[in-house]
């Protein structure tokens, strides 16, 4: 598909419906967008509550970043409205957040299905890796379920629009410490290798733990000491040993010691293929 050059929309073309949830800048609503060709598209609309010029710039920078992305497993931007009301309009994924979905469908989700979700998120991240883009907030709460067969990574570059110093100070309580690589906790250093830690090391663990919180038995402040003394997340009951072995490689303390997303796509594809074979045996 082609990346749209012009993503400016008119609010006349967007009908706002019920509230889906609360975003960082304001409520997120369900809605319908009427495209220039007359097609009606179900959308999610992010609104911006106290949209001063400064806030507006930060709010819209997420959309700016998303404009350049086009991937089957990344949330699709439809467009933005840049004058009052300032809105970001995205494709709607009716099944909602992966975290909630995992809890609600826990008994029906097979190992191969869970591995398929991991593989899809991994492909989205390999795509970002190729664009030299760092996500920084990979967690099941930031993945949306498009259909029972397909998930999409969202909440993009949440921290890209703010320099790291400001992000740290402005929202210390919002920093996802329990998902972060040691160098991100210690030096606020975020790279593709720290994304690998967040994805394979933590998000995959969440997927096989029915969205339990990683390190739920620790306070945020205890996590770095534990990591530095070599403690890692345990193997979730339903996580295949082959996948757990992969996670262990992504928990290398030194960022250079971790696999790349390209490597991980190969590994997850292979594991997924084997699981499908076993299931049909
Ligand atoms: P935060 O940074 O606190 O996560 P945010 O501003 O990034 O907030 P989101 O978490 O993306 O906002 O959105 C808030 C809620 O709206 C979430 O509960 C999510 O489930 C829902 N939501 C957001 N985008 C979509 C979408 N495209 N389709 C369906 N639901 C969505």
């Amino acid at each position: 598909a082609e990346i749209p050059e012009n993503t400016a929309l008119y609010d006349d073309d967007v009908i706002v419906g019920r509230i889906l949830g609360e975003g960082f800048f304001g409520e997120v609503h369900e809605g319908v967008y009427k495209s220039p060709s007359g097609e009606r598209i179900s959308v999610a609309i992010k609104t911006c509550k106290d949209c001063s010029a400064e806030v507006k710039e930060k709010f819209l920078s997420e959309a700016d970043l998303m404009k350049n992305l086009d991937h089957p497993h990344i949330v699709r931007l439809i467009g933005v409205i840049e004058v009052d009301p300032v809105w970001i309009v995205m494709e709607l994924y009716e099944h909602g957040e992966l975290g909630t979905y995992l809890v609600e469908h826990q008994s029906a989700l097979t190992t191969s299905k869970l591995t398929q979700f991991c593989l899809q998120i991994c492909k989205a991240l390999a795509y970002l890796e190729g664009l030299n883009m760092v996500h920084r907030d990979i967690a099941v709460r930031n993945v949306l379920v498009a259909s029972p067969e397909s998930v999409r990574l969202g909440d993009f570059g949440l921290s890209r629009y703010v320099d790291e110093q400001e992000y740290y100070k402005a929202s210390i309580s919002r920093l996802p410490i329990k998902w972060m690589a040691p160098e991100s906790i210690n030096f606020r250093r975020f790279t593709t290798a720290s994304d690998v830690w967040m994805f394979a090391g933590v998000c995959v663990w969440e997927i096989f733990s029915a969205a339990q919180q990683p390190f739920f038995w620790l306070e945020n402040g205890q996590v770095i000491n534990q990591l530095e003394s070599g403690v890692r997340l345990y193997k979730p009951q339903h996580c295949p040993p082959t996948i757990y072995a992969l996670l262990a490689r992504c928990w290398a303390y030194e960022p250079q010691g971790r696999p790349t997303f390209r490597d991980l796509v190969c590994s997850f594809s292979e594991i997924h293929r084997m699981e499908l074979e076993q299931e049909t045996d």
Side-chain angles (χ1 to χ4, degrees):
E2 228 170 76
I3 298 165
E5 282 266 291
N6 185 356
T7 49
L9 309 178
Y10 299 102
D11 60 350
D12 284 354
D13 298 329
V14 181
I15 300 163
V16 184
R18 70 178 178 101
I19 295 179
L20 283 171
E22 189 67 39
F24 180 62
F25 293 96
E27 286 159 354
V28 180
H29 288 257
E30 193 176 274
V32 177
Y33 165 64
K34 193 160 113 295
S35 77
S37 63
E39 192 191 353
R40 283 171 195 279
I41 304 170
S42 296
V43 293
I45 304 155
K46 278 196 179 189
T47 66
C48 182
K49 201 159 67 183
D50 302 311
C51 230
S52 63
E54 199 190 335
V55 174
K56 175 176 160 180
E57 197 188 310
K58 289 179 182 168
F59 175 65
L60 290 180
S61 63
E62 184 186 5
D64 257 344
L65 208 120
M66 290 176 74
K67 272 178 200 170
N68 304 315
L69 304 178
D70 181 21
H71 190 273
H73 298 295
I74 289 179
V75 166
R76 190 165 83 90
L77 178 78
I78 307 270
V80 291
I81 298 176
E82 298 204 22
V83 285
D84 235 17
V86 182
W87 286 345
I88 297 176
V89 181
M90 297 164 297
E91 195 167 57
L92 179 76
Y93 304 111
E94 308 197 13
H95 300 268
E97 288 179 17
L98 178 60
T100 318
Y101 187 88
L102 291 171
V103 175
E104 286 170 359
H105 297 82
Q106 199 172 348
S107 52
L109 290 164
T110 60
T111 303
S112 73
K113 178 57 64 188
L114 297 176
T115 307
Q116 188 187 4
F117 291 162
C118 294
L119 174 59
Q120 292 175 345
I121 303 166
C122 193
K123 284 179 176 171
L125 288 160
Y127 169 79
L128 296 184
E129 177 177 66
L131 297 174
N132 285 321
M133 192 177 283
V134 178
H135 186 285
R136 306 189 208 200
D137 199 7
I138 305 151
V140 290
R141 63 176 175 276
N142 292 330
V143 174
L144 293 167
V145 181
S147 78
E149 303 302 321
S150 177
V151 294
R152 292 195 180 232
L153 180 64
D155 234 341
F156 255 84
L158 184 77
S159 50
R160 271 194 91 86
Y161 46 76
V162 204
D163 71 62
E164 284 167 24
Q165 192 64 34
E166 199 183 339
Y167 177 59
Y168 181 71
K169 277 196 286 192
S171 51
I172 184 161
S173 63
R174 284 170 49 79
L175 268 183
I177 297 289
K178 292 178 174 180
W179 281 257
M180 282 158 60
E183 71 278 10
S184 306
I185 301 178
N186 283 331
F187 313 113
R188 275 171 277 131
R189 189 179 297 144
F190 293 88
T191 59
T192 296
S194 64
D195 270 4
V196 165
W197 177 294
M198 285 190 129
F199 162 68
V202 190
C203 184
V204 169
W205 183 91
E206 290 180 285
I207 291 175
F208 283 98
S209 309
Q212 288 231 58
Q213 195 196 90
F215 298 115
F216 60 84
W217 55 95
L218 298 179
E219 301 287 338
N220 273 352
Q222 298 174 299
V223 173
I224 189 64
N225 282 336
Q226 293 280 305
L227 292 178
E228 291 192 333
S229 58
V231 175
R232 297 293 184 266
L233 291 164
Y234 59 83
K235 187 182 94 59
Q237 200 190 339
H238 300 292
C239 178
T242 46
I243 292 190
Y244 192 65
L246 209 52
L247 305 201
R249 290 176 52 211
C250 299
W251 284 321
Y253 189 82
E254 296 300 334
Q256 317 82 272
R258 299 172 204 152
T260 64
F261 283 114
R262 268 188 68 184
D263 300 333
L264 289 172
V265 166
C266 294
S267 309
F268 276 107
S269 303
E270 179 61 16
I271 296 171
H272 184 233
R273 197 182 55 74
M274 291 187 320
E275 279 164 2
L276 281 178
E277 275 175 14
Q278 280 174 8
E279 271 176 21
T280 51
D281 272 351

